[in-house]
Amino acid sequence: MLGVKASHAQSIENREVFWGQEAKRVHWHTPFSQVVDVSRLPFASWFVGGKTNLCFNAVDRWLESDPDQAALVWVSTEVNEQRTYTRKTLWQEVNAVAAMLQAQGVGMGDRVLIYMPMIPSAVFAMLACARLGAIHSVVFGGFASVNLAQRIDDAQPKVIVTSDAGSRAGKVTPYKPLLDRALELCASSVQAVIVENRGLYAFEPVSGRDLDYADLREQHWGQEVAVQWVESSAPSYILYTSGTTGKPKGVQRDTGGYAVALATSMDYVFQGKAGETFLCTSDIGWVVGHSYIVYGPLIAGMTTILYEGTPVRPDGGILWKLVEQYKVSVMFSAPTAIRVLKKQDPELLKKYDLSSLRALYMAGEPLDEPTANWISQGLGKPIIDNYWQTETGWPILAAQPGIEALPTKFGSPSFPVYGFDVRVVDEQTGEDLGAGQKGVLAIVPPLPPGAMSTIWGDDERFVSTYFSAVPNRQVYSTFDWGLFDEDGYWFILGRTDDVINVAGHRLGTREIEESVNAHASVAESAVVGVADALKGQVAAAFAVLKQPERYTTIEQQRALEVEIMALVDQQLGAVARPARIRFVNALPKTRSGKVLRRAIVAVCEGRDPGDLTTIEDPSTLEQIRESI
């Protein structure tokens, strides 16, 4: 078998051979006639003419081999429930939901918006849409009404599937009133709203529109809905990118390319095998949840765990308890979750039997070296960082142990993944840069199978947003700074729009955060650029301490600040030293764990932080305000 470097080269230089072979991993009802059509770059069509179905590949295909194998395990520490669905019972549940959607007129190409917490019916609804050839759009549960209304107007769903409420950290978030308000704000009309009533929030159904999930399930139980075979390039779902301003960008995903891409990644990147158990701690409202809670593990014939809860309830050992209980072989989490655990009792890492776990994969944000070291030593397991985006659907950079076992470097997501022709380019000239040179991370089209095919309903915006940012050439811009070293390991240095320009020196916030986090007392930090009359911008750092009780006086905090600044000086030079380092109990983050840097900047500069509908804890921003 070819190694990582040779496989990558073949996937770029001989796409037809490489991807034609990999496409055998999934079931094709109608064989494709062409591996890829690149006649309209940057648009690309994969497996042209082939017909397949995501639901069939994730569910039906595995029925004969072992119908009693667990397919989906739901664990909720919010409502203290656990349920296991076998391949057969998952098939039954998906068919029931497909039948109820079909009864509401949902068919090929229709949109269904799913606004639900981390509960099994959300997964059933996604798979049911795929079965019907309908297009699902999952909106993160608890999104505010205005944001939700924008997505409804853009996708124009025929049906919405929702729940009365969700729960996080013991706090109930009512979904139904948020949806009702969103529908009042919408210009478009929705034919039906299917509501699963969990008994968490009392509500009055809207007559003539709202339908009860349990009633419909009972009515349609036992029905079998025929799989609709769709052309490979047909849209499978729309997922709106978080953090956008103005009209949201609906990332449109294809069907056949996505199935093949996920099937390969489950083997080459994650080394998941049929019959094993996969635990991903993301949310189905985000791309990681789509790819590696729902479709990826199920396409690979694995048991997938759907977890409703936080990493610290009932205590900081809950994730490791799940690993032991369900014999998890592969776990996928985010650096934020691990940083949260750094503040818990370290003995919890050793309390459970983790012998089944082969590796812990991390993505969603940059994985700093101190956090990687801490969790690696605590678990005694390989920690594999990988880098990707909502737009790409699966990893751009990652170690690929299923192809070749190579050493990893903490702080690096390793190597370009097969299919992604990744370059580091000069932001002024667009020219490729060499080893050790910092530039914009870009991808030469065509984007590989499973990456976004366009922006829903707006091809022109797809080209202008993603393929027009780099001068003098048409390449996809990730809007991230990056570089690769002499050994071929790649590094992500932060967003291009998170660059701080201090007296003409361009500094990536990621680099400064890495240095701040390297101090033994720091759990995590956020660095932002704040306007300064003299220097243009100065760096301001906000740090969360592992043991804040040790630094309660102003003198203790100031001494620690001096220590951390000296560390930054040592690692990056005095030019990168933050003007101040302030200590807070927690950083302002979205519910998906992303730091709200723009809101921090606005508060530091005395401006309105703007839309905060996705913030997890509003008091954290108030802490920032008080600290300055």
Side-chain angles (χ1 to χ4, degrees):
M1 184 176 178
L2 297 174
V4 167
K5 191 172 182 180
S7 292
H8 182 264
Q10 187 192 49
S11 74
I12 302 302
E13 296 163 9
N14 200 340
R15 292 184 174 90
E16 287 74 14
V17 170
F18 182 89
W19 287 109
Q21 184 66 30
E22 297 302 336
K24 296 175 182 177
R25 294 174 180 272
V26 304
H27 173 84
W28 296 93
H29 181 71
T30 303
F32 49 88
S33 56
Q34 184 181 1
V35 170
V36 60
D37 177 1
V38 294
S39 61
R40 292 179 56 240
L41 289 180
F43 301 93
S45 299
W46 287 93
F47 310 115
V48 180
K51 290 189 175 182
T52 187
N53 183 282
L54 279 176
C55 179
F56 182 89
N57 278 287
V59 182
D60 300 61
R61 189 166 59 123
W62 295 100
L63 280 178
E64 287 185 15
S65 58
D66 186 355
D68 296 324
Q69 162 74 39
L72 175 69
V73 174
W74 177 55
V75 179
S76 173
T77 53
E78 297 292 333
V79 296
N80 295 315
E81 271 193 72
Q82 297 185 26
R83 291 183 217 153
T84 296
Y85 298 87
T86 65
R87 290 169 173 172
K88 179 67 182 292
T89 54
L90 175 62
W91 181 86
Q92 291 172 321
E93 295 283 358
V94 169
N95 271 275
V97 178
M100 67 173 80
L101 291 174
Q102 203 171 48
Q104 301 308 314
V106 174
M108 187 89 75
D110 289 330
R111 274 79 63 208
V112 174
L113 189 134
I114 300 169
Y115 181 61
M116 301 186 84
M118 292 284 285
I119 54 178
S121 50
V123 176
F124 305 155
M126 292 170 71
L127 291 165
C129 289
R131 189 173 197 84
L132 295 170
I135 302 165
H136 63 66
S137 182
V138 181
V139 178
F140 180 72
F143 238 45
S145 298
V146 172
N147 307 70
L148 185 53
Q150 288 178 324
R151 286 151 176 77
I152 294 170
D153 274 335
D154 194 62
Q156 297 189 334
K158 184 173 280 189
V159 172
I160 294 176
V161 185
T162 190
S163 173
D164 59 333
S167 178
R168 182 169 174 81
K171 181 183 176 183
V172 170
T173 301
Y175 287 17
K176 186 61 168 58
L178 290 170
L179 176 59
D180 288 343
R181 175 61 181 148
L183 288 170
E184 290 173 6
L185 297 171
C186 281
S188 54
S189 59
V190 173
Q191 185 170 306
V193 174
I194 298 173
V195 187
E196 179 168 8
N197 189 351
R198 307 178 70 192
L200 297 178
Y201 178 80
F203 67 94
E204 283 295 322
V206 175
S207 179
R209 186 197 73 189
D210 292 355
L211 303 168
D212 183 73
Y213 180 96
D215 288 348
L216 291 176
R217 178 181 177 276
E218 185 178 356
Q219 182 182 333
H220 294 286
W221 187 256
Q223 294 183 20
E224 180 176 350
V225 176
V227 168
Q228 296 299 308
W229 303 106
V230 300
E231 205 278 332
S232 178
S233 295
S236 56
Y237 66 77
I238 307 163
L239 183 58
Y240 291 92
T241 53
S242 59
T244 56
T245 55
K247 185 181 177 184
K249 296 195 295 285
V251 169
Q252 180 177 312
R253 192 85 64 217
D254 69 357
T255 299
Y258 188 51
V260 173
L262 293 185
T264 64
S265 72
M266 292 304 298
D267 182 0
Y268 291 156
V269 177
F270 298 100
Q271 289 190 291
K273 296 174 176 56
E276 294 183 342
T277 303
F278 195 96
L279 168 60
C280 176
T281 66
S282 184
D283 188 287
I284 56 163
W286 310 119
V287 68
V288 176
H290 281 56
S291 294
Y292 296 110
I293 294 177
V294 183
Y295 291 112
L298 291 175
I299 286 172
M302 298 183 77
T303 302
T304 184
I305 296 179
L306 182 73
Y307 175 60
E308 182 184 38
T310 71
V312 294
R313 282 190 57 176
D315 59 43
I318 179 60
L319 298 181
W320 319 121
K321 181 181 179 182
L322 293 177
V323 170
E324 177 186 84
Q325 184 175 352
Y326 295 103
K327 294 182 171 50
V328 172
S329 58
V330 187
M331 181 173 167
F332 190 171
S333 194
T336 291
I338 304 306
R339 292 189 198 109
V340 167
L341 295 180
K342 282 168 79 175
K343 302 180 77 173
Q344 303 292 309
D345 182 355
E347 288 303 309
L348 289 168
L349 295 176
K350 305 184 186 306
K351 183 178 178 181
Y352 297 97
D353 178 4
L354 306 183
S355 58
S356 64
L357 187 66
R358 282 197 297 274
L360 172 62
Y361 288 78
M362 308 283 276
E365 62 194 277
L367 173 62
D368 58 284
E369 192 169 337
T371 298
N373 262 314
W374 178 83
I375 193 63
S376 175
Q377 291 168 11
L379 295 180
K381 301 287 182 179
I383 308 301
I384 301 179
D385 189 10
N386 60 108
Y387 160 79
W388 47 300
Q389 301 179 320
T390 299
E391 289 84 350
T392 66
W394 58 292
I396 301 170
L397 303 173
Q400 296 145 65
I403 296 176
E404 181 183 9
L406 293 170
T408 57
K409 289 186 180 182
F410 286 152
S412 167
S414 295
F415 317 106
V417 174
Y418 50 89
F420 287 97
D421 189 355
V422 193
R423 312 289 178 91
V424 176
V425 302
D426 186 284
E427 63 169 324
Q428 302 295 337
T429 66
E431 294 176 354
D432 288 350
L433 298 175
Q437 294 181 289
K438 175 181 168 181
V440 178
L441 204 72
I443 303 168
V444 177
L447 296 179
M452 72 184 298
S453 48
T454 188
I455 291 175
W456 173 255
D458 202 338
D459 287 352
E460 187 178 326
R461 191 180 181 193
F462 172 66
V463 177
S464 64
T465 298
Y466 295 104
F467 289 91
S468 305
V470 173
N472 305 320
R473 65 193 297 194
Q474 190 180 66
V475 291
Y476 171 94
S477 175
T478 63
F479 300 101
D480 280 318
W481 296 112
L483 62 79
F484 56 90
D485 66 15
E486 295 288 351
D487 299 324
Y489 287 80
W490 289 60
F491 297 82
I492 304 301
L493 305 174
R495 297 290 289 174
T496 56
D497 49 8
D498 281 340
V499 170
I500 302 172
N501 196 325
V502 181
H505 297 278
R506 298 175 67 78
L507 305 169
T509 57
R510 167 79 196 284
E511 297 165 286
I512 305 174
E513 287 172 1
E514 284 272 3
S515 292
V516 173
N517 293 348
H519 193 283
S521 296
V522 176
E524 64 176 329
S525 66
V527 174
V528 297
V530 179
D532 181 82
L534 180 63
K535 297 183 178 180
Q537 282 183 308
V538 293
F542 297 89
V544 178
L545 300 179
K546 294 175 183 173
Q547 295 176 294
E549 67 275 7
R550 291 180 53 192
Y551 303 94
T552 54
T553 68
I554 293 175
E555 291 77 16
Q556 289 169 330
Q557 291 183 3
R558 184 58 187 162
L560 178 59
E561 184 179 17
V562 170
E563 282 182 28
I564 297 172
M565 285 183 171
L567 189 59
V568 176
D569 285 0
Q570 178 187 332
Q571 295 188 353
L572 297 176
V575 69
R577 184 195 306 151
R580 285 297 310 272
I581 300 172
R582 295 177 172 87
F583 304 107
V584 292
N585 293 329
L587 298 174
K589 295 179 181 179
T590 66
R591 287 184 286 272
S592 67
K594 295 190 183 298
V595 176
L596 289 163
R597 287 180 173 80
R598 286 177 180 76
I600 295 174
V601 173
V603 168
C604 290
E605 295 179 350
R607 296 183 283 107
D608 180 358
D611 182 12
L612 296 173
T613 52
T614 62
I615 193 168
E616 172 78 31
D617 181 2
S619 71
T620 54
L621 203 57
E622 191 56 39
Q623 281 186 50
I624 300 286
R625 185 177 282 110
E626 290 172 2
S627 74
I628 58 175

